[in-house]
Amino acid sequence: MMKMRWLVLQALVFSISAIGGAPASAGVVVGATSVTASAGIPSGYSSPTSVNNLIDQSGLTANYVSGVTDFASFTSTTVASYSCCFPELGGVAGPVSGSYVDFALNNPTTIGAIVMWNQSGAASLQTFNLLGSNGGPFSLLGTFTMVDGGSPAQVFHFSAGVFQEFRVQILTNFGYEGGTIWNETAFEGVSAVPEPSTWAMMILGFAGVGFMTYRRRNQAAALAA
């Protein structure tokens, strides 16, 4: 009996710890509510172009609802719809290295990836550092490389955490010295979902509790008889 109780207790502890350590699952598209840049738009681009175009969905073939639209399906089917210098582009003026763009979310949110749509040409974003913050100093989440002419979505994953602000710190573009331009930016909001093995341990744990309760009731009934 003591052995059975010990096994059940171990199953419960394991299932609870498994829930807490469940990996982040694919989630929903989360859009930034505001964006700022270290400098203005590169000269030579049309005047309607602004850094806000990086979050207004003006350069995409479909629109998302922040916090609702499925991230995986949206990023696999939505491409950039733009032509060089049209007003859907946004970015930051040079010098290239050290320039940055900050994206603010509406609330602290668990985020596990950034998705970006690039443009074609020498001014398009190539390599960048991604930094995140939740009210404190920025911390480095990773260094990533984009493809030139990236009409499809380009998704970059990092260790999921709670963030309210991100910084895209530009390292290189494809050769334009006046600044860096790309199309759209959004994020993946994720949540912890137990894997099948975790569900199995949970069921085992709860079944064990039920079995112990059943045995205890039977013993009590036998003693009372």
Side-chain angles (χ1 to χ4, degrees), residues 26-31 55-66 68-80 115-117 151-155 184-188:
V28 295
V29 181
V30 174
I55 63 171
D56 66 0
Q57 307 184 55
S58 60
L60 299 177
T61 55
N63 290 335
Y64 61 82
V65 177
S66 182
V68 175
T69 302
D70 181 76
F71 184 86
S73 60
F74 185 81
T75 55
S76 65
T77 58
T78 303
V79 299
V115 56
M116 306 169 77
W117 288 263
S151 181
Q154 300 183 47
V155 178
E184 295 283 341
T185 305
F187 303 90
E188 181 187 22

Side-chain angles (χ1 to χ4, degrees), residues 146-169:
M146 295 194 75
V147 176
D148 184 25
S151 181
Q154 300 183 47
V155 178
F156 305 98
H157 292 275
F158 49 86
S159 181
V162 178
F163 302 98
Q164 193 166 7
E165 191 173 12
F166 291 92
R167 172 168 291 179
V168 172
Q169 185 180 56

Side-chain angles (χ1 to χ4, degrees), residues 45-121:
Y45 283 76
S46 57
S47 57
T49 301
S50 81
V51 71
N52 192 63
N53 291 341
L54 293 173
I55 63 171
D56 66 0
Q57 307 184 55
S58 60
L60 299 177
T61 55
N63 290 335
Y64 61 82
V65 177
S66 182
V68 175
T69 302
D70 181 76
F71 184 86
S73 60
F74 185 81
T75 55
S76 65
T77 58
T78 303
V79 299
S81 61
Y82 66 89
S83 178
C84 177
C85 308
F86 277 20
E88 65 267 17
L89 299 175
V92 57
V96 176
S97 182
S99 298
Y100 62 84
V101 178
D102 289 345
F103 299 86
L105 308 183
N106 189 43
N107 296 299
T109 306
T110 302
I111 302 293
I114 183 173
V115 56
M116 306 169 77
W117 288 263
N118 213 357
Q119 70 138 350
S120 293

Side-chain angles (χ1 to χ4, degrees), residues 135-209:
F138 281 101
S139 58
L140 180 65
L141 303 176
T143 301
F144 304 104
T145 300
M146 295 194 75
V147 176
D148 184 25
S151 181
Q154 300 183 47
V155 178
F156 305 98
H157 292 275
F158 49 86
S159 181
V162 178
F163 302 98
Q164 193 166 7
E165 191 173 12
F166 291 92
R167 172 168 291 179
V168 172
Q169 185 180 56
I170 299 164
L171 300 178
T172 63
N173 62 20
F174 288 87
Y176 180 68
E177 296 182 359
T180 303
I181 295 288
W182 68 98
N183 197 289
E184 295 283 341
T185 305
F187 303 90
E188 181 187 22
V190 297
S191 58
V193 176
E195 293 182 335
S197 60
T198 301
W199 283 114
M201 290 305 301
M202 290 170 60
I203 293 169
L204 175 60
F206 291 126
V209 171

